[in-house]
Amino acid sequence: DSFAKNSFTGCPPKLDVVHRFDSHPIHKLCYYASTTTAEELRQAIANANQELFKPADQDKFGMTPFHVLLSSPTPRQDLFLVLL
Protein backbone atom coordinates (compact mmCIF):
# COMPACT_ATOMS: atom_id res chain seq x y z
CA ASP A 1 0.00 0.00 0.00
CA SER A 2 1.22 3.49 -0.81
CA PHE A 3 0.98 4.72 2.80
CA ALA A 4 3.44 2.11 4.05
CA LYS A 5 5.68 2.63 1.02
CA ASN A 6 5.92 6.41 1.57
CA SER A 7 5.85 6.51 5.38
CA PHE A 8 9.59 6.95 5.74
CA THR A 9 10.23 9.23 2.78
CA GLY A 10 12.83 11.80 3.79
CA CYS A 11 13.95 9.88 6.87
CA PRO A 12 17.66 9.11 7.25
CA PRO A 13 18.69 5.59 6.21
CA LYS A 14 18.89 2.88 8.88
CA LEU A 15 22.68 3.04 8.76
CA ASP A 16 22.49 6.55 10.21
CA VAL A 17 20.79 5.12 13.30
CA VAL A 18 23.50 2.52 13.77
CA HIS A 19 26.31 5.07 13.45
CA ARG A 20 24.38 7.97 14.93
CA PHE A 21 26.85 8.71 17.70
CA ASP A 22 30.13 7.91 15.93
CA SER A 23 31.14 11.57 15.88
CA HIS A 24 29.23 12.51 19.04
CA PRO A 25 30.90 10.87 22.07
CA ILE A 26 28.95 12.98 24.60
CA HIS A 27 25.66 11.96 23.00
CA LYS A 28 26.77 8.32 23.12
CA LEU A 29 27.53 8.48 26.84
CA CYS A 30 24.13 10.10 27.44
CA TYR A 31 22.45 7.39 25.38
CA TYR A 32 24.06 4.75 27.59
CA ALA A 33 23.17 6.67 30.76
CA SER A 34 22.38 3.52 32.71
CA THR A 35 26.05 2.49 32.59
CA THR A 36 27.81 5.86 32.19
CA THR A 37 29.41 7.34 35.29
CA ALA A 38 29.41 11.06 36.02
CA GLU A 39 33.21 10.98 35.92
CA GLU A 40 33.23 9.38 32.44
CA LEU A 41 30.91 12.10 31.17
CA ARG A 42 32.93 14.84 32.89
CA GLN A 43 36.15 13.52 31.31
CA ALA A 44 34.59 13.23 27.86
CA ILE A 45 33.37 16.83 28.08
CA ALA A 46 36.83 17.98 29.19
CA ASN A 47 38.39 16.17 26.21
CA ALA A 48 35.75 17.48 23.82
CA ASN A 49 36.19 21.07 25.03
CA GLN A 50 39.59 20.99 23.40
CA GLU A 51 37.70 20.60 20.13
CA LEU A 52 35.24 23.43 20.91
CA PHE A 53 32.39 21.18 22.09
CA LYS A 54 29.14 23.01 22.79
CA PRO A 55 26.33 21.40 24.83
CA ALA A 56 23.90 22.54 22.11
CA ASP A 57 25.68 20.41 19.47
CA GLN A 58 23.12 18.32 17.60
CA ASP A 59 23.30 14.83 16.16
CA LYS A 60 21.80 13.81 12.80
CA PHE A 61 18.34 13.88 14.33
CA GLY A 62 18.70 17.38 15.76
CA MET A 63 19.08 16.13 19.33
CA THR A 64 21.47 17.65 21.86
CA PRO A 65 23.08 15.61 24.66
CA PHE A 66 20.30 16.96 26.92
CA HIS A 67 17.62 15.54 24.60
CA VAL A 68 19.36 12.17 24.46
CA LEU A 69 19.83 11.97 28.23
CA LEU A 70 16.29 13.05 29.05
CA SER A 71 14.88 10.59 26.49
CA SER A 72 16.39 7.74 28.48
CA PRO A 73 14.02 5.40 30.29
CA THR A 74 16.03 6.22 33.42
CA PRO A 75 17.29 9.82 33.14
CA ARG A 76 19.94 10.52 35.77
CA GLN A 77 20.20 13.76 37.64
CA ASP A 78 23.95 13.38 38.25
CA LEU A 79 24.64 13.22 34.50
CA PHE A 80 22.28 16.11 33.84
CA LEU A 81 24.16 18.22 36.36
CA VAL A 82 27.47 17.37 34.64
CA LEU A 83 26.03 18.58 31.33
CA LEU A 84 25.00 21.88 32.88
Side-chain angles (χ1 to χ4, degrees):
D1 112 346
S2 67
F3 175 76
K5 185 177 182 179
N6 297 316
S7 294
F8 298 102
T9 301
C11 291
K14 285 183 181 181
L15 185 60
D16 283 350
V17 174
V18 173
H19 297 286
R20 177 178 177 183
F21 303 121
D22 285 356
S23 61
H24 298 282
I26 308 302
H27 288 68
K28 187 173 189 172
L29 288 171
C30 291
Y31 183 79
Y32 292 106
S34 64
T35 59
T36 298
T37 67
E39 185 53 36
E40 287 172 322
L41 183 57
R42 199 174 286 112
Q43 186 61 46
I45 289 170
N47 292 341
N49 278 339
Q50 296 171 2
E51 300 170 14
L52 303 174
F53 167 76
K54 296 175 189 76
D57 283 344
Q58 298 179 356
D59 68 5
K60 293 177 182 182
F61 294 97
M63 293 181 73
T64 68
F66 293 101
H67 290 116
V68 175
L69 179 63
L70 296 174
S71 296
S72 167
T74 55
R76 295 198 10 227
Q77 182 179 11
D78 60 333
L79 298 182
F80 181 77
L81 292 173
V82 171
L83 287 176
L84 289 176

